[in-house]
Amino acid sequence: QVQLVESGGGLVQAGGSLRLSCTASGSIFTIHTMGWYRQAPGKQRELVATMGDSTNYADSVKGRFTISRDNAKTTVVLQMNSLKPEDTAVYYCNLDQKRGAVGYDYWGQGTQVTVSS
């Protein structure tokens, strides 16, 4: 079992910055991917950024957001700059790992990011 604890959400003005952090604990395998997804009201949950063997960003956040992990690969940080109102959503931390052929997908509780115009 893996637990994900998120922090850093809040209310900011357009053009401002926020830093989201997520720390994983529990039975974490060596090979795993961590990242961030977001879901706005009435919209599908979408990938924001992930980091494992490679780094992947949504086109809408490239150049504005930066994802990073600590050396132990148990904490993932999302630095969000130049925020726009359309970035408003609940942001969820994600950890994906596999044991043999069995995949495991874990989610944090979500943290609200609101960007005012």
Side-chain angles (χ1 to χ4, degrees):
Q1 184 64 40
V2 173
Q3 296 80 43
L4 302 174
V5 179
E6 303 154 322
S7 64
L11 173 65
V12 298
Q13 294 180 330
S17 298
L18 283 174
R19 182 181 175 93
L20 305 183
S21 181
C22 173
T23 298
S25 62
S27 184
I28 304 168
F29 303 157
T30 300
I31 302 175
H32 63 274
T33 299
M34 295 186 71
W36 292 91
Y37 293 71
R38 67 187 182 187
Q39 187 167 21
K43 299 182 66 176
Q44 298 290 321
R45 185 174 299 185
E46 64 177 353
L47 181 148
V48 178
T50 60
M51 192 170 189
D53 291 338
S54 62
T55 302
N56 186 26
Y57 292 95
D59 288 340
S60 60
V61 307
K62 287 181 179 178
R64 300 188 298 120
F65 293 7
T66 302
I67 189 170
S68 61
R69 296 204 295 181
D70 67 349
N71 291 333
K73 300 180 181 179
T74 55
T75 297
V76 61
V77 171
L78 185 69
Q79 178 66 47
M80 305 186 294
N81 299 324
S82 302
L83 284 162
K84 305 174 181 179
E86 50 263 44
D87 294 318
T88 296
V90 177
Y91 284 69
Y92 296 92
C93 180
N94 171 262
L95 186 149
D96 180 73
Q97 61 185 11
K98 291 179 173 61
R99 183 171 62 190
V102 180
Y104 299 86
D105 200 25
Y106 301 93
W107 296 93
Q109 80 284 355
T111 184
Q112 177 71 47
V113 172
T114 302
V115 184
S116 62
S117 59

